[in-house]
Amino acid sequence: MEQVELAAAATDVSLWALFMQAGLIVKLVMLGLVAASIWTWALIIDKSLTFKKAQRQYDHFEQVFWSGQSLEELYRTLSERQNTGLAAIFVAAMREWKKSFERGARSPIGLQMRIDRAMDVTMARESETLEARLSSLATIGSAGPFIGLFGTVIGIMTSFQAIAGSKSTNLAVVAPGIAEALLATAIGLVAAIPAVIAYNKFAGDAGKLNARMEGFADEFSAILSRQIDEKLQPRQQAAE
């Protein structure tokens, strides 16, 4: 009895000690989950900055676009730089607009379809950029607890084998093994919970920005549609 008590007193149950006492498989599980947690927080920081930057760019572009500035002048300014978001959609539409008129476009329907297609392709590319690496957060959030549970199961199995070998069920003997096994589940939850919260938050933010792009594309398409009618009607009347 005294030996058991001395062993219990000498047992270190700190997190680092539990990790070092764990078996190889449990250690690999813990290290993998720690790496996943670090990757999760790196993605959270990166996507937070990305969405804040995109929000500012969208607000600035809409302010400039609806300020009454000439579309041609705005296009000349933006075409000289690399654009994202609403600016990229605007430039893609104006580029198709100018190319079509330079080649003598005569069909308003065909021109409108080409402009809409150019905006759709740009929106898809911008949406893909916004949602990049969000699947990693979803994967970590869904798989993290189960990976931790796998480590826990392996750890508890090892503890039971140790109990059978020592032929002692005293809590002081089995507690360290069970504690190191449960540590794997705890690390899995630490990795998964922020990933799930961040994924839901960023998915919602991406949806809002995508909705803004679609709304702008529809409004700009209507503006260009009116200008197409104004420019092509004289050509059609002259051809008749």
Side-chain angles (χ1 to χ4, degrees), residues 12-22 27 31 183:
D12 187 357
V13 292
S14 65
L15 296 181
W16 176 251
L18 291 176
F19 171 77
M20 294 304 297
Q21 295 166 13
K27 282 182 180 178
L31 289 174
L183 181 60

Side-chain angles (χ1 to χ4, degrees), residues 33 139-150 152 184-185 188-189 191-193 196:
L33 290 172
T139 301
I140 293 172
S142 60
F146 294 102
I147 296 174
L149 183 60
F150 169 75
T152 297
T185 296
L189 293 175
I193 292 173
V196 171

Side-chain angles (χ1 to χ4, degrees), residues 18-226:
L18 291 176
F19 171 77
M20 294 304 297
Q21 295 166 13
L24 177 61
I25 296 178
V26 180
K27 282 182 180 178
L28 291 176
V29 169
M30 291 181 183
L31 289 174
L33 290 172
V34 169
S37 181
I38 295 173
W39 176 241
T40 294
W41 283 105
L43 287 178
I44 289 173
I45 295 172
D46 177 69
K47 300 306 288 186
S48 296
L49 296 175
T50 298
F51 281 110
K52 287 181 180 178
K53 181 180 178 181
Q55 186 71 41
R56 289 195 301 267
Q57 289 176 340
Y58 283 33
D59 293 341
H60 176 70
F61 176 81
E62 286 186 332
Q63 183 179 3
V64 174
F65 181 82
W66 298 110
S67 65
Q69 183 179 359
S70 168
L71 296 181
E72 291 289 341
E73 181 180 351
L74 182 58
Y75 172 71
R76 284 194 299 270
T77 302
L78 294 177
S79 60
E80 298 175 355
R81 67 183 71 166
Q82 186 175 2
N83 300 286
T84 59
L86 301 183
I89 296 172
F90 170 80
V91 170
M94 288 296 294
R95 184 179 291 119
E96 183 60 39
W97 161 278
K98 294 180 73 65
K99 285 182 179 179
S100 297
F101 275 104
E102 288 172 359
R103 296 173 183 175
R106 294 184 177 276
S107 171
I109 297 177
L111 176 55
Q112 187 71 53
M113 289 179 62
R114 288 193 296 273
I115 291 174
D116 289 343
R117 180 58 180 168
M119 289 194 291
D120 288 342
V121 171
T122 304
M123 278 193 295
R125 184 171 60 249
E126 294 300 315
S127 177
E128 183 178 355
T129 300
L130 289 174
E131 297 173 2
R133 298 190 300 277
L134 288 185
S135 59
S136 298
L137 292 176
T139 301
I140 293 172
S142 60
F146 294 102
I147 296 174
L149 183 60
F150 169 75
T152 297
V153 170
I154 297 297
I156 290 177
M157 289 174 59
T158 303
S159 297
F160 281 136
Q161 291 173 353
I163 292 171
S166 63
K167 298 180 180 180
S168 173
T169 58
N170 189 287
L171 185 60
V173 175
V174 301
I178 295 176
E180 68 191 36
L182 294 175
L183 181 60
T185 296
I187 297 175
L189 293 175
V190 168
I193 292 173
V196 171
I197 296 173
Y199 174 79
N200 292 332
K201 172 67 167 58
F202 293 143
D205 291 343
K208 292 177 182 178
L209 293 177
N210 287 333
R212 289 185 67 175
M213 285 193 291
E214 292 175 0
F216 171 76
D218 291 339
E219 291 177 329
F220 192 44
S221 178
I223 293 173
L224 291 181
S225 178
R226 289 191 293 268

